[in-house]
Amino acid sequence: MSKRVLLIEDEMNIIEAISFILTRDGWTVHTHQDGETAADRVRDLPPDMVILDVMLPGRSGFDILRDLRADPTTESLPVLMLTARGQAKDRDLAMSLGATRFMTKPFSNAEVLDVVRALIKD
Amino acid sequence: MPHRSLIGARIRSRRLDLGISQQALARSAGISASYLNLIEHNRRRIGGKLLADLARALSVDPATLSEAADQATISTLTQAAKGRVVEPPEDLAARYPGWAGVVAAQTNALLESERRIAALQERVAHDPALSAALHQVISTVTSIRSTSSILVEDAQLDPDWQRRFSRNVYDDSRRLAEVSQALVRYLETPSERGIGEAFSNYLEARGWHLPELEVESGSLKDVPPHLQEEAERWAAQYRDAAVAMPLPQLRGLIADSGIDPAGVAATFGVSLRDAMHRLARMPSDMGVSVGLAECDAAGALIALKPCDGFALPRATPACPLWPLYQALSQPGVPLHSTVVLPGAEAVRLSCYAIAERAPAVAFDAPAMVRSTMLVVSDAPTVRPQPVGQTCAICPRDSCSARRMGAAATL
């Protein structure tokens, strides 16, 4: 059974592109667009890793990450954070909250694939 | 306009150029060396016979010593030094007035650029509309990059996926174009602060007194199109003040009593604030140098008209000891005090200030307080209150009002 990736992102076209390349690479991709219910979706699924956007409707990716790390069942879950804001303070906040990796938009498909392969392998 | 405190710097400069000791020059002028030292460092004002004696000893015309650069140049040179240990700016202005002007002009341009950068950074960081627009641009670019990579890199892409992704790129491109155009329009719209400062520059160039508005039906001349709205609002207030305090009667009152905002308010039955604004717009031929500053309850400058020896920084917080800000803690209480700036102790500024509530525009609207300060240069010799331009460059380390970083008080 292929590993599961949960993509939490509200931009439909980004969802389609990332889902396509991950699926083509052999991963099972689930998607979720709402920040308010994202943490619950993680617990219900559960995925082998999460790709989490910072700017989401309802709740920020930082708050969601904080919740995941506070929960023993998800505290070690690999999380790749995506953000359109490339300032050092955003990177520092993400890493301090427990993000496994941090990537700024726009990114290349190859970068995403490399990180997903590395995180799930680990 | 000339600034007399440079007499001391010019004496010192000329003495040094001639290789004369302080003791020798003092002896030839009939004064002590210690007194000459005070003069050279602008701690004593001189004129008349003593100025003539020193000029004779230095083989120059007294007028040469009293001709000087203006205080605005000195203030700008002080900011350029930024607390570094260098020769006093008065010395630079006295010995090399041309270069002092060049340095001052470049410093002003640099400060203006820094102000614009800070304003843009603040806008980017705290403007929710701008932040949302930039996020939308980045996200759309990300989508286009990912989708177009798939189209270009996958030669075997299923035709249905090709059509789907091509459509996505097309839609994202349109969205990006729309957001980009909206962003450009938004950034090109001058901020309120930008318009306020641009209009102040227009008034500065016109000398703040506008003869065409001294008549009831007058209108402002040569106003740039993007300042029309601000200009109309300002002109209406000017005309009302000119009607309430006609210029001929005001001239007579000033000739009799000097610059006295309380006297003007009482004579014409206007508020102290209106009297101060009217006095700040007097013609330059009246021989007085009058400045004005107005701020809101947060201390942000609403209006600023510099004068000899007086200017407040627009981009950085000013010294809290100015009566303009002291008045905020005593609304409704008129304040009058004489102040001196560091390095310009020979120039006394007479400051009149009052903080008042702006007229209410609605029943449940919050109370809006603004403080107005009139500054008259060359006040009579009284014990002055030391103030500064801004803490960042003020040499008064022991000042109890010195502003530290926000985190230092936590």
Side-chain angles (χ1 to χ4, degrees), chain A residues 9-14 16-18 20-21 24 53 55 83-85 89 105-109 111, chain B residues 131 135-136 138-139 141-143 145-147 149-150 153-154 157 161 164-165 168-169 171-172 175:
Chain A
E9 164 68 65
D10 63 326
E11 288 285 337
M12 269 312 302
N13 290 354
I14 294 179
E16 278 208 331
I18 300 299
F20 179 86
I21 62 165
R24 188 175 59 181
D53 190 25
M55 296 281 283
T83 181
R85 293 156 59 122
K89 63 177 183 178
K105 295 176 179 177
F107 44 74
S108 71
N109 294 339
E111 287 177 297
Chain B
S131 183
H135 178 260
Q136 206 169 355
I138 297 294
S139 290
V141 166
T142 301
S143 175
R145 184 178 181 183
S146 281
T147 309
S149 288
I150 295 170
E153 292 164 6
D154 192 340
L157 191 61
W161 278 112
R164 189 166 178 159
F165 283 138
N168 286 352
V169 170
D171 289 341
D172 281 334
R175 190 156 57 117

Side-chain angles (χ1 to χ4, degrees), chain B residues 329-344:
Chain B
S329 62
Q330 308 169 71
V333 176
L335 301 180
H336 177 211
S337 62
T338 303
V339 305
V340 289
L341 285 159

Side-chain angles (χ1 to χ4, degrees), chain B residues 33-374:
Chain B
S34 58
Y35 189 63
L36 176 61
N37 190 54
L38 290 172
I39 293 170
E40 288 188 351
H41 290 89
N42 306 311
R43 285 181 169 79
R44 290 293 183 273
R45 297 168 67 179
I46 64 166
K49 182 178 181 302
L50 180 54
L51 177 63
D53 289 343
L54 286 167
R56 187 168 42 251
L58 293 169
S59 304
V60 294
D61 191 291
T64 305
L65 293 177
S66 56
E67 177 188 338
D70 56 55
Q71 180 59 34
T73 301
I74 302 298
S75 297
T76 305
L77 291 175
T78 304
Q79 284 188 289
K82 281 189 180 175
R84 284 187 283 266
V85 179
V86 293
E87 289 74 17
E90 290 85 355
D91 282 0
L92 178 66
R95 299 184 77 170
Y96 306 105
W99 279 112
V102 168
V103 172
Q106 289 181 334
T107 300
N108 280 331
L110 180 62
L111 289 173
E112 176 61 19
S113 296
E114 288 179 348
R115 189 197 66 76
R116 286 174 187 262
I117 291 170
L120 281 171
Q121 283 176 328
E122 193 175 317
R123 230 176 151 184
V124 169
H126 301 295
D127 186 331
L130 188 56
S131 183
L134 289 174
H135 178 260
Q136 206 169 355
V137 166
I138 297 294
S139 290
T140 309
V141 166
T142 301
S143 175
I144 291 174
R145 184 178 181 183
S146 281
T147 309
S148 57
S149 288
I150 295 170
L151 287 169
V152 168
E153 292 164 6
D154 192 340
Q156 312 296 325
L157 191 61
D158 182 89
D160 285 339
W161 278 112
Q162 268 190 3
R163 276 190 292 275
R164 189 166 178 159
F165 283 138
S166 295
R167 182 76 204 181
N168 286 352
V169 170
Y170 174 75
D171 289 341
D172 281 334
S173 300
R174 283 186 59 184
R175 190 156 57 117
L176 184 61
E178 289 164 7
V179 171
S180 302
Q181 285 171 343
L183 198 52
V184 168
R185 280 195 300 273
Y186 183 77
L187 290 173
E188 283 180 344
T189 303
S191 65
E192 285 185 4
R193 180 175 175 175
I195 289 177
E197 286 193 27
F199 188 63
S200 288
N201 292 338
Y202 165 82
L203 292 175
E204 184 85 26
R206 295 283 317 271
W208 292 81
H209 173 70
L210 303 164
E212 66 267 34
L213 296 182
E214 294 290 338
V215 294
E216 202 165 343
S217 57
S219 57
L220 277 172
K221 296 177 185 173
D222 305 322
V223 178
H226 66 288
L227 300 178
Q228 283 289 344
E229 194 177 329
E230 179 76 13
E232 274 311 310
R233 198 165 33 235
W234 194 88
Q237 294 169 358
Y238 190 112
R239 281 190 294 266
D240 289 345
V243 168
M245 293 168 274
L247 188 57
Q249 287 92 308
L250 192 53
R251 279 182 181 273
L253 191 62
I254 292 173
D256 290 342
S257 316
I259 299 289
D260 175 17
V264 170
T267 301
F268 296 103
V270 299
S271 69
L272 284 171
R273 176 181 179 266
D274 287 345
M276 288 193 279
H277 273 270
R278 183 66 170 143
L279 287 168
R281 296 166 189 165
M282 289 293 96
S284 56
D285 63 3
M286 294 184 68
V288 288
S289 183
V290 177
L292 183 98
E294 197 159 67
C295 73
D296 63 18
L301 281 179
I302 301 170
L304 179 65
K305 181 201 172 220
C307 70
D308 285 355
F310 167 68
L312 290 177
R314 282 188 183 274
T316 54
C319 175
L321 295 176
W322 282 99
L324 174 72
Y325 306 112
Q326 296 289 305
L328 287 171
S329 62
Q330 308 169 71
V333 176
L335 301 180
H336 177 211
S337 62
T338 303
V339 305
V340 289
L341 285 159
E345 283 79 4
V347 179
R348 276 139 169 83
L349 303 174
S350 184
C351 301
Y352 302 84
I354 186 165
E356 295 173 319
R357 280 194 178 191
V361 296
F363 286 103
D364 295 326
M368 304 299 290
V369 175
R370 64 187 166 205
S371 181
T372 309
M373 177 175 72
L374 185 76

